[in-house]
Amino acid sequence: MAAMTTGTPSRADANRRRILDVALAELLRDPDASMDQIARAAGVVRRTVYGHFPSREALIGTLVDGAVEAVAAAHAAGREGAADPAQAVAGSVLAVWEIADRYRILVALAQRSVTMQGIRDRLAPVRATCTELLQRGLDDGVFVSALPAPALAYVHEQMLFGVMEAVNDGLLTPEEAGRSAAVTVLTAAGVPASRATELVAELDD
């Protein structure tokens, strides 16, 4: 009779998960961390790391995939229950920033190996949802823009990357970045600055 499975992760799966967790922490601490450093920090030999990830680029690509999944989940949670498009946009940006701050350095690293086009491709489902939300706001008169919704969604995405880079370069503190990003995205969609600031403050209390 076949043995029953218990759902317990295999040792290989556990090693892979640990390598990813440690790699993210090491890369955030030292963006130039080598595979050797990551292996030592994870408590495994280098061969084990390469057994799961054939190159540093592959490891970073896998981390980016995980980051995109987390961003998509946060984006959905942030807009949940919001009938007003402006509130939904602000809530999604604030929710995304709560987890995206952890991945700021990873985005900069990914640009070296995954390329920005690769990141944009991974974010396509999130961008599609943003486009629908922005289109609804434009149709309702909540948003006003010379750009069509798909282009506005693209601009919003690039603005968030820009805020991440501003934090990475020390031009903006992580503590103020979330609110600043949400207000900036709303004003770019034509929401008056005073209303955008008030709305974001209400949601971020």
Side-chain angles (χ1 to χ4, degrees):
M1 184 172 64
M4 294 180 61
T5 58
T6 62
T8 303
S10 69
R11 182 171 180 177
D13 289 338
N15 274 343
R16 186 177 189 276
R17 181 70 261 167
R18 175 166 173 72
I19 290 166
L20 287 171
D21 289 343
V22 169
L24 179 59
E26 287 296 302
L27 289 168
L28 293 180
R29 183 184 62 80
D30 175 11
D32 294 319
S34 66
M35 296 289 266
D36 282 343
Q37 287 175 256
I38 292 169
R40 285 195 299 272
V44 298
V45 297
R46 186 175 63 169
R47 183 176 60 196
T48 299
V49 176
Y50 278 105
H52 292 285
F53 308 101
S55 66
R56 189 171 183 275
E57 289 72 22
L59 174 58
I60 291 174
T62 302
L63 288 172
V64 170
D65 288 340
V68 169
E69 289 178 9
V71 164
H75 190 275
R79 67 178 187 276
E80 186 175 359
D84 175 42
Q87 185 179 14
V89 167
S92 64
V93 172
L94 289 170
V96 164
W97 193 265
E98 285 185 16
I99 60 99
D101 186 51
R102 184 184 183 208
Y103 299 110
R104 283 187 292 108
I105 301 298
L106 183 60
V107 169
L109 281 171
Q111 291 177 30
R112 304 180 198 171
S113 56
V114 179
T115 75
M116 281 306 298
Q117 184 59 49
I119 296 172
R120 284 196 293 267
D121 290 345
R122 287 165 164 82
L123 287 170
V126 175
R127 194 182 312 113
T129 300
C130 289
T131 299
E132 293 175 5
L133 182 55
L134 290 169
Q135 186 62 63
R136 180 157 59 90
L138 290 168
D139 292 342
D140 293 347
V142 176
F143 301 141
V144 179
S145 175
L147 296 173
L152 188 57
Y154 181 89
V155 168
H156 281 184
E157 182 180 292
Q158 296 307 304
M159 291 172 71
L160 292 179
F161 282 130
V163 172
M164 287 185 182
E165 290 297 335
V167 176
N168 287 346
D169 290 343
L171 304 175
L172 187 67
T173 66
E175 293 74 24
E176 64 183 322
R179 284 193 178 197
S180 297
V183 170
T184 301
V185 164
L186 286 176
T187 55
V191 177
S194 58
R195 172 56 182 153
T197 301
E198 177 186 346
L199 178 58
V200 171
E202 290 173 359
L203 291 174
D204 202 33
D205 281 342

